[in-house]
Amino acid sequence: MSVFASSSCFLQSQHKCIVIFALVCCCAVLIALIFSAVDVWGDDEDGITEDSCSRTCRFVLVENIPEDLSIPYKDTVPLTTGLHELLDRARRSVEIVSPWWALNSTKSESDLPQAKQGQILFRQLMSLRSRSVSLRVASGLTDSPELKALAQRGADVRYLNMTALTRGQLNSSFWVVDREHMYVGSAIMDWRSLSTMKEFGIIIHDCSCLALDLHRIFSLYCQLQHKDFLPSIWSKRLYALNNRDKNLLLSLNDSKAEAYISSSPDLFCPKHRTKDTEAIKRVIQEAETFIYISITDYLPMMNRSQPKYWSLIDNMLREALILSRNLRVRLLVSCGEQTEPLTLNFLWSLKALCVESLNCSVEAKFFIPREQSDGRLYRINHSRFMVTDSSVYLGNSDWVGNEFVFNAGVGVVIRQRPQENNTASVVERMKAVFERDWHSHYTKTLDPNNIPACSMHTVKENIRV
Ligand SMILES: *[C@@H]1O[C@H](CO)[C@@H](O)[C@H](O)[C@H]1NC(C)=O
Ligand SMILES: *[C@@H]1O[C@H](CO)[C@@H](O)[C@H](O)[C@H]1NC(C)=O
Ligand SMILES: *[C@@H]1O[C@H](CO)[C@@H](O)[C@H](O)[C@H]1NC(C)=O
Ligand SMILES: *[C@@H]1O[C@H](CO)[C@@H](O)[C@H](O)[C@H]1NC(C)=O
Ligand SMILES: *[C@@H]1O[C@H](CO)[C@@H](O)[C@H](O)[C@H]1NC(C)=O
Ligand SMILES: *[C@@H]1O[C@H](CO)[C@@H](O)[C@H](O)[C@H]1NC(C)=O
Ligand SMILES: *[C@@H]1O[C@H](CO)[C@@H](O)[C@H](O)[C@H]1NC(C)=O
Ligand SMILES: CC(=O)N[C@H]1CO[C@H](CO)[C@@H](O)[C@@H]1O
């Protein structure tokens, strides 16, 4: 190209020559950029490779159940126990992503007995350094006093400007310990997640194959530190190791399973990474007899400058109901003051789809928290997962348009063939947790003549005013 450019210089006008020269320069700069972007940055991933990683894994399901809720732990471990065990195991590194940091509550709150677990966890994180364990945090918070305190104690805190990157929030919530153990769940680094909120998550031990893939998402966040644009080419070290077409084969408490990690928004998905919405779609499509969904918010809407219908997940459910005969869908949605009244309409319209000839069924229930002493209904953030006859999906995002389009989150998909009497199956365990909540006396069936308390509360308030 440059030969052509220089020879034509003599023949053409000077003006044209300058244009061609500029083009050649552009090409050169572009090529240089491509090569520099590919692998300037090195992270040895602790010498763990795809071939040497461990896939003989153990798991526990972790929950936080507020003390005043009379719901028993269903073969699950209290979240605080699970997290402390993870920290005790840490030898080299602890990587944490959390949308919010409020473990060490402020003065007035610190008198509450419920705040204690958060303070203990915070002290443990502060003291990691003294055990020569490095703490790394990726966060969207610029002025968090807790992150500053941790950074002063040697933590490596990376700040992402999500407003500039995607106009969203960093809502991911996960831990990677020594690139061998991991936690993914609804609980965040807030003392309420360890006391007054109902939370659900999974901890997987000795599973460097899966943890390595989650670590790559953490590395991706770190790469975006202080950037106000997304790179057009990601480093190969950020590519996904496994995805929905290439599941990781592993053993979970001696049962065979297949797994992968998904991520959102789309802009945060380098090559091979499955998007959260694609993962949800696959899990829904593969369901044969039932889909149980436990979610804080179900709203197929996007709400930016003006509200828009966001049909992606709603359509997946409709398609599944119509195409796969005999499907039973149960939705357990959280109910609270912030619950958008339109949620009801969307749930009703799903229910209305199942006429007799389709032989499907949709049931929806609201999870209703108790009334507080001040008469207000506080929503207890709660588990976000889906379980079907063959798979589970456990994610950080609510099923609301904004979440998947703008906000960052991760998901874990685990597939297991149904086996009778297999008490160690993730699918069976999560199904049991769902059914416990579904049948608990904190739920209310969706009924048009009986508006659930979450909306009624607003009605009541209006009447009072
Ligand atoms: C954590 O909270 C306790 C009790 O409120 C306070 O004494 C301590 O200074 C706090 N630590 C940090 C690092 O903010
Ligand atoms: C984040 O990006 C936005 C938009 O580019 C900018 O206005 C804001 O100042 C940035 N915030 C920080 C803390 O750099
Ligand atoms: C899996 O194995 C671990 C370690 O043996 C055990 O602590 C845990 O409870 C088991 N998980 C389940 C769900 O049985
Ligand atoms: C959209 O957001 C506005 C305020 O930002 C709020 O008043 C409205 O209720 C929201 N609508 C939906 C459907 O979420
Ligand atoms: C309808 O679905 C149920 C299970 O949900 C199944 O037992 C029954 O055989 C189905 N009926 C027909 C006609 O397919
Ligand atoms: C994500 O962040 C936004 C803004 O802070 C918040 O409104 C939303 O509830 C968060 N969602 C989740 C699932 O944490
Ligand atoms: C499963 O367990 C039940 C009772 O525990 C037993 O009756 C049944 O035979 C078992 N099924 C298989 C396939 O082992
Ligand atoms: C992660 C998350 O959704 N956190 C919310 C839990 O609920 C409290 C109170 O409703 C909110 O302030 C948090 O943002």
Side-chain angles (χ1 to χ4, degrees):
M1 190 159 182
S2 64
V3 172
F4 168 76
S6 54
S7 64
S8 59
C9 274
F10 296 107
L11 306 169
Q12 310 282 334
S13 71
Q14 205 183 2
H15 183 187
K16 210 164 187 179
C17 184
I18 290 168
V19 171
I20 292 173
F21 182 69
L23 276 176
V24 171
C25 286
C26 283
C27 281
V29 169
L30 199 66
I31 288 168
L33 271 180
I34 288 172
F35 278 98
S36 67
V38 174
D39 237 331
V40 277
W41 165 76
D43 175 351
D44 64 358
E45 297 193 335
D46 278 355
I48 301 169
T49 68
E50 248 183 292
D51 302 317
S52 69
C53 62
S54 152
R55 50 189 85 210
T56 317
C57 320
R58 324 289 304 177
F59 79 99
V60 282
L61 297 179
V62 285
E63 281 194 286
N64 186 65
I65 300 178
E67 256 175 28
D68 51 351
L69 240 57
S70 59
I71 292 179
Y73 284 86
K74 183 90 189 168
D75 295 324
T76 50
V77 168
L79 178 65
T80 47
T81 312
L83 293 182
H84 286 302
E85 203 186 319
L86 270 181
L87 285 181
D88 289 345
R89 284 185 168 220
R91 294 286 165 265
R92 293 182 302 275
S93 65
V94 175
E95 293 162 346
I96 302 181
V97 188
S98 167
W100 188 248
W101 282 82
L103 287 173
N104 202 44
S105 60
T106 57
K107 274 229 168 64
S108 60
E109 287 166 335
S110 67
D111 300 332
L112 293 172
Q114 293 100 314
K116 198 160 158 238
Q117 284 302 334
Q119 289 163 348
I120 293 172
L121 186 60
F122 188 67
R123 276 204 295 275
Q124 277 213 330
L125 292 176
M126 292 283 273
S127 67
L128 279 178
R129 180 80 171 183
S130 63
R131 291 166 42 199
S132 312
V133 175
S134 66
L135 174 64
R136 305 173 72 203
V137 175
S139 170
L141 308 167
T142 31
D143 53 357
S144 157
E146 288 198 357
L147 289 181
K148 279 181 193 146
L150 287 171
Q152 269 167 13
R153 289 288 187 98
D156 177 6
V157 179
R158 307 291 180 103
Y159 168 74
L160 275 78
N161 189 342
M162 287 296 290
T163 315
L165 293 170
T166 68
R167 296 186 294 138
Q169 306 279 336
L170 186 68
N171 277 354
S172 313
S173 178
F174 64 82
W175 287 30
V176 181
V177 173
D178 291 347
R179 291 162 210 183
E180 273 176 44
H181 321 296
M182 54 184 263
Y183 156 80
V184 175
S186 64
I188 62 176
M189 293 298 103
D190 184 326
W191 61 271
R192 295 173 200 90
S193 276
L194 306 174
S195 53
T196 58
M197 296 288 187
K198 188 162 172 300
E199 311 275 9
F200 180 83
I202 189 168
I203 290 179
I204 303 180
H205 291 286
D206 304 317
C207 208
S208 50
C209 290
L210 200 60
L212 195 59
D213 218 0
L214 190 57
H215 162 72
R216 288 190 167 200
I217 294 182
F218 182 83
S219 294
L220 185 144
Y221 295 162
C222 292
Q223 285 273 286
L224 294 173
Q225 168 167 242
H226 296 311
K227 290 221 168 73
D228 51 10
F229 60 91
L230 289 157
S232 49
I233 300 160
W234 297 100
S235 157
K236 272 187 201 151
R237 289 193 178 271
L238 302 177
Y239 289 4
L241 298 171
N242 293 100
N243 54 37
R244 65 174 178 169
D245 298 317
K246 184 185 162 220
N247 287 195
L248 171 71
L249 303 177
L250 48 84
S251 105
L252 275 176
N253 280 33
D254 306 320
S255 297
K256 272 194 203 150
E258 293 166 44
Y260 62 94
I261 311 267
S262 60
S263 179
S264 52
D266 296 1
L267 293 170
F268 280 16
C269 292
K271 210 166 176 178
H272 309 315
R273 179 71 66 201
T274 298
K275 297 162 190 156
D276 274 325
T277 46
E278 289 174 339
I280 291 172
K281 181 170 188 175
R282 182 62 64 92
V283 170
I284 289 178
Q285 281 175 340
E286 285 178 351
E288 281 174 11
T289 55
F290 71 87
I291 302 175
Y292 294 165
I293 298 162
S294 178
I295 203 79
T296 312
D297 276 320
Y298 181 81
L299 190 66
M301 298 277 288
M302 275 222 278
N303 197 359
R304 284 269 132 174
S305 44
Q306 65 195 68
K308 266 198 215 140
Y309 180 46
W310 184 80
S311 58
L312 210 52
I313 294 182
D314 207 47
N315 276 349
M316 291 173 198
L317 288 174
R318 282 166 203 275
E319 188 179 72
L321 286 168
I322 292 169
L323 295 185
S324 44
R325 298 283 158 137
N326 313 337
L327 194 62
R328 236 169 64 231
V329 173
R330 284 178 169 176
L331 286 131
L332 184 55
V333 180
S334 215
C335 173
E337 274 182 344
Q338 309 99 312
T339 305
E340 165 64 47
L342 267 176
T343 306
L344 244 80
N345 307 42
F346 284 115
L347 292 176
W348 262 114
S349 95
L350 269 181
K351 255 177 99 79
L353 204 60
C354 281
V355 291
E356 215 169 304
S357 61
L358 276 180
N359 193 29
C360 58
S361 90
V362 175
E363 294 167 273
K365 279 190 179 182
F366 283 100
F367 197 90
I368 298 184
R370 66 286 181 204
E371 204 163 299
Q372 300 293 308
S373 48
D374 59 1
R376 294 167 75 86
L377 281 167
Y378 288 109
R379 171 156 63 172
I380 41 177
N381 309 28
H382 107 75
S383 21
R384 303 183 178 93
F385 67 87
M386 162 164 65
V387 50
T388 72
D389 36 90
S390 57
S391 307
V392 301
Y393 167 83
L394 207 158
N396 291 148
S397 303
D398 280 324
W399 289 19
V400 175
N402 287 6
E403 292 270 328
F404 294 106
V405 177
F406 302 104
N407 297 342
V410 303
V412 186
V413 177
I414 301 172
R415 303 166 62 200
Q416 266 177 325
R417 216 153 273 170
Q419 286 162 300
E420 229 179 292
N421 290 359
N422 184 357
T423 50
S425 140
V426 183
V427 175
E428 288 301 320
R429 290 288 176 104
M430 281 177 64
K431 182 178 170 221
V433 168
F434 180 90
E435 283 174 341
R436 178 205 60 197
D437 287 350
W438 182 261
H439 295 294
S440 77
H441 57 263
Y442 298 99
T443 61
K444 212 162 218 168
T445 309
L446 181 62
D447 173 356
N449 303 317
N450 188 358
I451 308 163
C454 43
S455 309
M456 201 159 78
H457 188 71
T458 18
V459 174
K460 234 171 31 188
E461 236 176 25
N462 288 347
I463 292 169
R464 232 187 277 147
V465 174

Coordinates of all heavy atoms in Angstrom, one line a residue, residues 120-180:
I120 N -17.9 -8.1 62.2 CA -16.9 -9.1 62.3 C -16.3 -9.5 60.9 O -15.1 -9.6 60.8 CB -17.6 -10.4 62.9 CG1 -18.0 -10.2 64.3 CG2 -16.7 -11.6 62.8 CD1 -18.9 -11.3 64.9
L121 N -17.2 -9.5 59.9 CA -16.6 -9.8 58.6 C -15.7 -8.7 58.1 O -14.6 -9.0 57.5 CB -17.8 -10.0 57.6 CG -17.4 -10.4 56.2 CD1 -16.8 -11.8 56.2 CD2 -18.7 -10.5 55.3
F122 N -16.1 -7.5 58.4 CA -15.2 -6.4 58.0 C -13.8 -6.5 58.7 O -12.8 -6.3 58.1 CB -15.9 -5.0 58.4 CG -15.2 -3.8 57.9 CD1 -15.1 -3.6 56.5 CD2 -14.6 -2.9 58.7 CE1 -14.5 -2.5 56.0 CE2 -13.9 -1.8 58.2 CZ -13.9 -1.6 56.9
R123 N -13.8 -6.8 60.0 CA -12.5 -6.9 60.7 C -11.7 -8.0 60.1 O -10.5 -7.9 60.0 CB -12.8 -7.2 62.2 CG -13.0 -5.9 63.0 CD -12.7 -6.1 64.5 NE -13.6 -7.1 65.1 CZ -14.8 -6.8 65.6 NH1 -15.2 -5.6 65.6 NH2 -15.5 -7.7 66.2
Q124 N -12.4 -9.1 59.7 CA -11.6 -10.2 59.1 C -11.0 -9.8 57.7 O -9.9 -10.1 57.4 CB -12.6 -11.4 58.8 CG -12.7 -12.3 60.0 CD -13.0 -13.7 59.6 OE1 -13.5 -14.0 58.5 NE2 -12.6 -14.6 60.5
L125 N -11.7 -9.0 57.0 CA -11.2 -8.5 55.7 C -10.0 -7.6 55.9 O -9.0 -7.6 55.2 CB -12.3 -7.8 54.9 CG -13.4 -8.7 54.3 CD1 -14.5 -7.9 53.6 CD2 -12.9 -9.8 53.4
M126 N -10.2 -6.8 57.0 CA -9.1 -5.8 57.3 C -7.8 -6.6 57.7 O -6.7 -6.1 57.5 CB -9.5 -4.9 58.5 CG -10.6 -3.9 58.2 SD -10.0 -2.5 57.2 CE -9.5 -1.4 58.6
S127 N -8.0 -7.7 58.3 CA -6.8 -8.4 58.8 C -6.2 -9.4 57.9 O -5.3 -10.2 58.2 CB -7.2 -9.1 60.2 OG -8.1 -10.2 59.9
L128 N -6.8 -9.5 56.6 CA -6.2 -10.5 55.7 C -4.7 -10.2 55.4 O -4.0 -11.2 55.3 CB -7.0 -10.4 54.4 CG -8.3 -11.1 54.3 CD1 -9.0 -10.8 52.9 CD2 -8.2 -12.6 54.5
R129 N -4.4 -9.0 55.4 CA -3.0 -8.6 55.1 C -2.0 -9.2 56.0 O -1.0 -9.7 55.6 CB -2.9 -7.0 55.2 CG -1.6 -6.5 54.9 CD -1.4 -6.4 53.4 NE -0.2 -5.6 53.1 CZ 0.2 -5.4 51.9 NH1 -0.5 -5.7 50.9 NH2 1.3 -4.7 51.8
S130 N -2.4 -9.3 57.3 CA -1.5 -9.8 58.3 C -1.3 -11.3 58.1 O -0.4 -11.9 58.7 CB -2.0 -9.6 59.7 OG -3.3 -10.2 59.9
R131 N -2.1 -11.9 57.3 CA -1.9 -13.4 57.0 C -1.3 -13.5 55.6 O -1.3 -14.6 55.0 CB -3.3 -14.1 57.0 CG -3.9 -14.2 58.4 CD -5.4 -14.7 58.3 NE -5.6 -15.7 57.2 CZ -6.7 -16.0 56.7 NH1 -7.8 -15.3 57.0 NH2 -6.8 -16.9 55.8
S132 N -0.8 -12.4 55.1 CA -0.2 -12.4 53.7 C -1.2 -12.8 52.7 O -0.8 -13.4 51.7 CB 1.0 -13.3 53.7 OG 1.9 -13.0 54.7
V133 N -2.4 -12.6 52.9 CA -3.4 -12.8 51.8 C -3.8 -11.5 51.2 O -4.1 -10.5 51.9 CB -4.7 -13.5 52.4 CG1 -5.8 -13.7 51.4 CG2 -4.4 -14.8 53.1
S134 N -3.7 -11.4 49.9 CA -4.0 -10.1 49.3 C -5.5 -10.0 49.0 O -6.2 -10.9 48.6 CB -3.2 -9.9 48.0 OG -3.7 -10.9 47.0
L135 N -6.1 -8.8 49.3 CA -7.5 -8.5 49.1 C -7.6 -7.6 47.9 O -6.9 -6.6 47.8 CB -8.1 -7.9 50.3 CG -9.6 -7.4 50.2 CD1 -10.5 -8.6 49.9 CD2 -10.0 -6.6 51.4
R136 N -8.4 -8.0 46.9 CA -8.6 -7.2 45.7 C -10.1 -6.9 45.6 O -10.9 -7.8 45.7 CB -8.1 -7.9 44.5 CG -6.6 -8.3 44.6 CD -6.2 -9.1 43.4 NE -6.0 -8.3 42.2 CZ -6.1 -8.8 41.0 NH1 -6.3 -10.1 40.8 NH2 -6.0 -8.0 39.9
V137 N -10.5 -5.7 45.3 CA -11.9 -5.3 45.2 C -12.1 -4.5 43.9 O -11.3 -3.7 43.6 CB -12.3 -4.4 46.4 CG1 -13.7 -3.9 46.3 CG2 -12.1 -5.2 47.7
A138 N -13.2 -4.8 43.2 CA -13.6 -4.0 42.1 C -14.9 -3.4 42.4 O -15.8 -4.1 43.0 CB -13.7 -4.8 40.8
S139 N -15.0 -2.1 42.2 CA -16.2 -1.4 42.7 C -16.6 -0.2 41.9 O -15.7 0.4 41.2 CB -16.0 -0.9 44.2 OG -17.0 -0.1 44.6
G140 N -17.8 0.2 41.9 CA -18.3 1.4 41.2 C -18.4 2.6 42.1 O -18.9 3.6 41.7
L141 N -18.0 2.4 43.4 CA -18.1 3.4 44.4 C -16.9 4.2 44.5 O -15.8 3.7 44.8 CB -18.5 2.8 45.8 CG -19.6 1.8 45.8 CD1 -19.6 1.1 47.1 CD2 -20.9 2.6 45.6
T142 N -17.0 5.6 44.3 CA -15.8 6.4 44.4 C -15.5 6.8 45.9 O -14.3 7.0 46.2 CB -15.9 7.7 43.7 OG1 -17.3 8.1 43.7 CG2 -15.4 7.6 42.3
D143 N -16.5 7.0 46.7 CA -16.2 7.6 48.0 C -16.7 6.8 49.1 O -17.3 7.2 50.1 CB -16.9 9.0 48.0 CG -18.4 8.9 47.6 OD1 -18.8 7.8 47.3 OD2 -19.1 9.9 47.7
S144 N -16.5 5.4 49.0 CA -16.9 4.6 50.1 C -15.8 4.6 51.2 O -14.7 4.2 51.0 CB -17.0 3.1 49.6 OG -16.9 2.2 50.6
P145 N -16.2 5.0 52.4 CA -15.2 5.1 53.5 C -14.7 3.7 53.8 O -13.5 3.5 54.2 CB -16.0 5.6 54.7 CG -17.4 5.9 54.2 CD -17.5 5.5 52.8
E146 N -15.5 2.6 53.6 CA -15.0 1.3 53.9 C -13.9 0.8 52.9 O -13.0 0.2 53.3 CB -16.2 0.3 53.9 CG -17.1 0.5 55.0 CD -18.0 -0.7 55.3 OE1 -18.0 -1.7 54.6 OE2 -18.7 -0.6 56.3
L147 N -14.1 1.2 51.7 CA -13.1 0.8 50.7 C -11.9 1.6 50.9 O -10.8 1.1 50.7 CB -13.7 1.0 49.3 CG -14.8 0.0 48.8 CD1 -15.2 0.3 47.4 CD2 -14.3 -1.4 49.0
K148 N -12.0 2.8 51.4 CA -10.8 3.6 51.7 C -10.0 3.0 52.8 O -8.8 2.9 52.8 CB -11.2 5.1 52.0 CG -11.4 5.9 50.7 CD -11.7 7.3 51.0 CE -12.2 8.0 49.8 NZ -13.3 9.0 50.0
A149 N -10.8 2.6 53.9 CA -10.2 1.9 55.0 C -9.5 0.6 54.6 O -8.4 0.3 55.0 CB -11.2 1.6 56.1
L150 N -10.1 -0.1 53.7 CA -9.5 -1.4 53.3 C -8.2 -1.1 52.4 O -7.2 -1.8 52.6 CB -10.5 -2.2 52.4 CG -11.6 -2.9 53.2 CD1 -12.7 -3.5 52.3 CD2 -11.1 -4.0 54.1
A151 N -8.3 -0.1 51.6 CA -7.2 0.3 50.8 C -6.0 0.7 51.7 O -4.8 0.4 51.4 CB -7.5 1.4 49.8
Q152 N -6.3 1.4 52.8 CA -5.2 1.8 53.7 C -4.5 0.6 54.3 O -3.4 0.7 54.7 CB -5.8 2.7 54.8 CG -5.7 4.2 54.4 CD -6.6 5.0 55.4 OE1 -7.0 4.5 56.4 NE2 -6.8 6.3 55.0
R153 N -5.3 -0.5 54.4 CA -4.7 -1.7 55.0 C -4.1 -2.6 53.9 O -4.0 -3.8 54.0 CB -5.8 -2.5 55.7 CG -6.2 -1.9 57.0 CD -5.1 -2.1 58.1 NE -5.6 -1.6 59.4 CZ -6.0 -2.5 60.3 NH1 -6.0 -3.8 60.1 NH2 -6.4 -2.0 61.5
G154 N -3.9 -2.0 52.7 CA -3.2 -2.7 51.7 C -4.1 -3.4 50.6 O -3.6 -4.1 49.8
A155 N -5.4 -3.2 50.7 CA -6.2 -3.8 49.7 C -6.1 -3.1 48.4 O -5.8 -1.9 48.3 CB -7.7 -3.8 50.1
D156 N -6.2 -3.8 47.3 CA -6.0 -3.3 45.9 C -7.5 -3.0 45.4 O -8.2 -3.9 45.1 CB -5.3 -4.3 45.1 CG -5.2 -3.9 43.6 OD1 -5.5 -2.8 43.3 OD2 -4.7 -4.7 42.8
V157 N -7.9 -1.7 45.5 CA -9.2 -1.4 45.1 C -9.3 -0.7 43.8 O -8.6 0.3 43.5 CB -9.9 -0.4 46.2 CG1 -11.3 -0.1 45.8 CG2 -9.9 -1.1 47.6
R158 N -10.0 -1.3 42.8 CA -10.1 -0.8 41.5 C -11.5 -0.1 41.3 O -12.5 -0.7 41.6 CB -10.0 -1.9 40.4 CG -8.8 -2.8 40.6 CD -7.5 -2.0 40.3 NE -6.3 -2.8 40.4 CZ -5.7 -3.4 39.4 NH1 -6.1 -3.2 38.2 NH2 -4.6 -4.1 39.6
Y159 N -11.5 1.1 40.8 CA -12.7 1.8 40.6 C -13.2 1.8 39.1 O -12.4 2.1 38.3 CB -12.5 3.3 41.1 CG -13.7 4.2 40.7 CD1 -14.9 4.0 41.3 CD2 -13.5 5.1 39.7 CE1 -16.0 4.8 40.9 CE2 -14.6 5.9 39.3 CZ -15.8 5.7 39.9 OH -16.8 6.5 39.5
L160 N -14.4 1.5 38.9 CA -15.0 1.5 37.6 C -16.0 2.6 37.5 O -16.9 2.7 38.3 CB -15.7 0.2 37.3 CG -15.0 -1.0 36.8 CD1 -14.3 -1.7 37.9 CD2 -16.0 -2.0 36.1
N161 N -15.8 3.5 36.4 CA -16.9 4.5 36.2 C -17.9 3.9 35.3 O -17.9 4.0 34.1 CB -16.2 5.7 35.6 CG -17.2 6.9 35.6 OD1 -18.4 6.7 35.7 ND2 -16.6 8.1 35.4
M162 N -18.9 3.3 35.9 CA -20.0 2.6 35.2 C -20.8 3.6 34.4 O -21.4 3.3 33.4 CB -20.8 1.7 36.1 CG -20.2 0.5 36.6 SD -19.8 -0.7 35.3 CE -21.4 -1.2 34.8
T163 N -20.9 4.8 34.9 CA -21.7 5.8 34.2 C -21.1 6.1 32.9 O -21.8 6.1 31.8 CB -21.7 7.1 35.0 OG1 -21.9 6.8 36.4 CG2 -22.7 8.1 34.5
A164 N -19.8 6.2 32.8 CA -19.1 6.4 31.5 C -19.1 5.2 30.7 O -19.3 5.3 29.4 CB -17.7 6.9 31.8
L165 N -19.0 4.0 31.3 CA -18.9 2.8 30.5 C -20.2 2.3 29.9 O -20.2 2.0 28.7 CB -18.2 1.7 31.3 CG -16.8 1.9 31.8 CD1 -16.4 0.9 32.8 CD2 -15.9 1.8 30.6
T166 N -21.2 2.2 30.7 CA -22.5 1.7 30.2 C -23.7 2.5 30.6 O -24.8 2.1 30.4 CB -22.7 0.2 30.7 OG1 -22.9 0.3 32.1 CG2 -21.5 -0.7 30.4
R167 N -23.5 3.5 31.3 CA -24.6 4.3 31.9 C -25.4 3.5 32.9 O -26.6 3.7 33.1 CB -25.5 4.9 30.8 CG -24.8 5.9 29.9 CD -25.8 6.5 29.0 NE -26.4 5.6 28.0 CZ -27.6 5.5 27.7 NH1 -28.5 6.4 28.2 NH2 -28.1 4.6 26.8
G168 N -24.7 2.5 33.5 CA -25.4 1.6 34.5 C -24.7 1.6 35.8 O -24.0 2.5 36.2
Q169 N -24.9 0.5 36.5 CA -24.3 0.2 37.8 C -23.5 -1.1 37.8 O -23.9 -2.0 37.1 CB -25.4 0.1 38.9 CG -26.4 1.3 38.9 CD -25.9 2.4 39.7 OE1 -25.0 2.2 40.6 NE2 -26.3 3.6 39.4
L170 N -22.6 -1.2 38.7 CA -21.9 -2.4 38.9 C -22.7 -3.2 40.0 O -22.5 -2.9 41.2 CB -20.5 -2.2 39.4 CG -19.6 -3.5 39.5 CD1 -19.3 -4.1 38.1 CD2 -18.2 -3.1 40.1
N171 N -23.6 -4.1 39.6 CA -24.4 -4.8 40.6 C -23.9 -6.2 40.8 O -24.5 -7.0 41.6 CB -25.8 -4.9 40.0 CG -26.6 -3.7 40.3 OD1 -26.2 -2.8 41.0 ND2 -27.8 -3.6 39.8
S172 N -22.7 -6.6 40.3 CA -22.2 -7.9 40.5 C -21.9 -8.2 41.9 O -21.5 -7.2 42.6 CB -20.9 -8.1 39.7 OG -21.1 -7.6 38.4
S173 N -22.1 -9.4 42.3 CA -21.8 -9.7 43.7 C -21.2 -11.1 43.7 O -21.9 -12.1 43.6 CB -23.1 -9.7 44.5 OG -22.9 -10.1 45.8
F174 N -19.9 -11.2 43.9 CA -19.2 -12.5 43.9 C -17.9 -12.4 44.6 O -17.3 -11.3 44.8 CB -19.1 -13.2 42.5 CG -18.3 -12.4 41.5 CD1 -16.9 -12.6 41.5 CD2 -18.8 -11.6 40.6 CE1 -16.1 -12.0 40.6 CE2 -18.0 -11.0 39.6 CZ -16.7 -11.1 39.6
W175 N -17.4 -13.6 45.0 CA -16.0 -13.7 45.6 C -15.3 -14.8 44.8 O -15.9 -15.8 44.4 CB -16.1 -14.2 47.0 CG -16.6 -13.3 48.1 CD1 -17.5 -12.3 47.9 CD2 -16.2 -13.4 49.5 NE1 -17.7 -11.7 49.2 CE2 -16.9 -12.4 50.1 CE3 -15.3 -14.2 50.2 CZ2 -16.8 -12.1 51.5 CZ3 -15.2 -13.9 51.6 CH2 -15.9 -12.9 52.2
V176 N -14.0 -14.5 44.6 CA -13.1 -15.6 44.1 C -12.0 -15.7 45.1 O -11.3 -14.7 45.4 CB -12.5 -15.3 42.7 CG1 -11.6 -16.4 42.2 CG2 -13.7 -15.0 41.7
V177 N -11.7 -16.9 45.7 CA -10.7 -17.1 46.7 C -9.6 -18.0 46.2 O -9.9 -19.1 45.8 CB -11.3 -17.6 48.0 CG1 -10.2 -18.0 49.0 CG2 -12.3 -16.6 48.6
D178 N -8.4 -17.5 46.1 CA -7.2 -18.3 45.6 C -7.5 -18.9 44.2 O -6.8 -19.8 43.8 CB -6.9 -19.5 46.6 CG -6.4 -19.0 47.9 OD1 -6.0 -17.8 48.0 OD2 -6.3 -19.8 48.8
R179 N -8.4 -18.3 43.5 CA -8.8 -18.8 42.2 C -9.1 -20.3 42.3 O -8.9 -21.1 41.3 CB -7.7 -18.6 41.2 CG -7.6 -17.1 40.9 CD -6.3 -16.6 40.3 NE -6.1 -15.3 40.8 CZ -5.2 -14.5 40.4 NH1 -4.3 -14.9 39.6 NH2 -5.0 -13.3 40.9
E180 N -9.6 -20.7 43.4 CA -10.0 -22.1 43.6 C -11.4 -22.2 44.2 O -12.1 -23.2 43.9 CB -9.1 -22.8 44.6 CG -7.8 -23.4 44.0 CD -6.9 -23.9 45.1 OE1 -7.5 -24.6 46.0 OE2 -5.7 -23.7 45.0

